[in-house]
Amino acid sequence: MWSRSVIVLYTLGLLLILLFVLDIGLGSISISLADMLGQLIGKSVLSDQQLLILTRFRLPRVATALLAGAALPVCGLQMQTLFRNPLAGPYVLGISSGASFGAALVVLGAGATGIVGTWSLAIAAWTGAGTVMLLLLFVSYRIKDVMTILILGIMFSSGLAAIISIMQYFSQASALKSFVIWSMGSLGNVSGAQLSIMAWAILPLLLVTLVYSKVLNGLMLGEEYALSMGVRIQRTRLVIFATTSILAGTITAFCGPIGFIGIAVPHMARFLLKRSDHRVLVPASMLTGMVVMLFSDIVSRLPGTEQILPINAVTSLIGIPVLIWLVLMNRKAQSL
């Protein structure tokens, strides 16, 4: 089994490198791999225009895609393990909606700009995502039925969407336009300061989730079994709560809501690995998420045209078939 895991991780790594080069090179002005390598080793083979496009636009966009692709599947995987439900995820449980609500308060309400706006946007999104996650945790203490918790998460999401709609109705035209564009999702509107905040917020937490892989294995078998293994349930829940809120809140704040990556990618990784060992599943989910996000970014830019599709629409078109497949597989398993 380890040989299959190594092959899958190795293949995902090669695919990631291929898509990285394609995503960097494709565009109205093409930049070849040879030119990028030449520039990297000190030979100035790129024109000033190519260098400007590469450093100001393409590299930040690809870096954003990699961060989002690694973070969102980890959120979904932790939720699916904590609630022991394959349909759990930051988008379904309302955590992304909580982050969207926090972002809406800043974009539609305060309208802060510059570095103040960047930090206030991040903090508002973290607070919104954390509040919803806290509510779900409180409910999970009182109600053990995971399906009920899932339904309540969907209700939280719908309620927040309704409040955001009311805020949009009473907002100014310029603020409304900014919010609508943000809500479509984009990897190309992240500034250097925002990318820096994303990296500092996301990378350390991804390391934390890798360290907690063994704990997640115990939690997957049930809290009583995990307790017998020496897992500190309350502390584990708190870690999952904090990491998921910050990861999902950060991505939602700066890239807009990105649907289905969080819920669909962990299932893709399980399908590829044919196992649920989190020591392998967590890095495989990160790699699969980065591959899917780079592929979605390439598709969203419609190569050969000047048009760009909302990234949220592209990820949804990729994620929905996976969810349909998951539901069909579950029904098939139940009928046996």
Side-chain angles (χ1 to χ4, degrees):
M1 292 301 290
W2 275 108
S3 60
R4 181 185 178 89
S5 301
V6 171
I7 292 171
V8 168
L9 292 175
Y10 184 72
T11 305
L12 286 172
L14 289 179
L15 197 55
L16 181 65
I17 294 172
L18 175 64
L19 289 172
F20 178 88
V21 173
L22 277 177
D23 205 5
I24 289 287
L26 290 176
S28 56
I29 296 178
S30 62
I31 302 174
S32 68
L33 176 61
D35 290 343
M36 284 187 277
L37 292 176
Q39 189 72 30
L40 195 62
I41 61 175
K43 297 179 180 178
S44 300
V45 293
L46 295 178
S47 66
D48 291 342
Q49 187 182 24
Q50 286 178 312
L51 196 58
L52 180 68
I53 290 173
L54 182 65
T55 56
R56 292 285 184 87
F57 299 101
R58 295 188 186 177
L59 280 177
R61 192 190 64 244
V62 170
T64 304
L66 293 176
L67 288 172
L72 289 176
V74 168
C75 296
L77 180 59
Q78 291 193 130
M79 291 296 92
Q80 289 164 15
T81 304
L82 178 64
F83 291 105
R84 301 178 66 191
N85 190 311
L87 294 179
Y91 204 77
V92 176
L93 288 172
I95 299 168
S96 295
S97 296
S100 297
F101 176 70
L105 288 176
V106 174
V107 177
L108 297 176
T113 59
I115 191 65
V116 175
T118 297
W119 275 106
S120 60
L121 189 64
I123 292 171
W126 292 338
T127 305
T131 302
V132 173
M133 189 69 190
L134 198 61
L135 285 172
L136 288 172
L137 278 176
F138 176 75
V139 171
S140 69
Y141 279 117
R142 305 293 297 271
I143 302 173
K144 298 300 179 185
D145 183 16
V146 291
M147 189 55 69
T148 304
I149 296 171
L150 194 64
I151 293 171
L152 287 174
I154 295 172
M155 290 175 65
F156 288 153
S157 180
S158 300
L160 289 169
I163 295 173
I164 292 173
S165 296
I166 294 172
M167 293 172 64
Q168 288 179 273
Y169 183 79
F170 288 105
S171 64
Q172 299 293 324
S174 58
L176 179 60
K177 181 181 178 182
S178 299
F179 183 77
V180 169
I181 293 174
W182 170 86
S183 65
M184 292 180 179
S186 173
L187 300 173
N189 293 331
V190 178
S191 66
Q194 292 173 337
L195 184 59
S196 178
I197 293 173
M198 285 180 66
W200 280 107
I202 290 173
L203 293 178
L205 296 184
L206 292 180
L207 290 176
V208 170
T209 58
L210 287 171
V211 172
Y212 260 72
S213 298
K214 190 175 179 180
V215 176
L216 291 174
N217 277 343
L219 202 61
M220 183 176 62
L221 301 174
E223 291 188 351
E224 291 184 3
Y225 183 83
L227 198 60
S228 69
M229 293 174 59
V231 175
R232 297 181 180 180
I233 301 298
Q234 300 299 332
R235 189 176 71 176
T236 301
R237 282 187 170 190
L238 184 62
V239 169
I240 293 176
F241 153 70
T243 54
T244 301
S245 301
I246 295 176
L247 289 175
T250 303
I251 298 300
T252 306
F254 298 128
C255 303
I258 299 178
F260 293 98
I261 294 294
I263 185 173
V265 168
H267 294 295
M268 292 180 180
R270 285 191 192 93
F271 177 77
L272 293 172
L273 293 171
K274 303 293 184 187
R275 63 188 303 184
S276 297
D277 186 342
H278 286 74
R279 292 173 298 178
V280 183
L281 190 56
V282 171
S285 296
M286 291 181 190
L287 281 173
T288 308
M290 289 190 282
V291 167
V292 172
M293 281 303 297
L294 287 182
F295 177 74
S296 300
D297 185 43
I298 293 171
V299 172
S300 72
R301 289 188 292 122
L302 296 173
T305 72
E306 298 294 330
Q307 304 297 321
I308 299 178
L309 297 175
I311 192 69
N312 193 19
V314 178
T315 57
S316 298
L317 290 174
I318 293 173
I320 287 172
V322 175
L323 289 182
I324 293 174
W325 168 79
L326 177 66
V327 171
L328 293 177
M329 290 296 290
N330 283 340
R331 288 180 64 87
K332 183 179 178 181
Q334 290 173 2
S335 64
L336 293 177

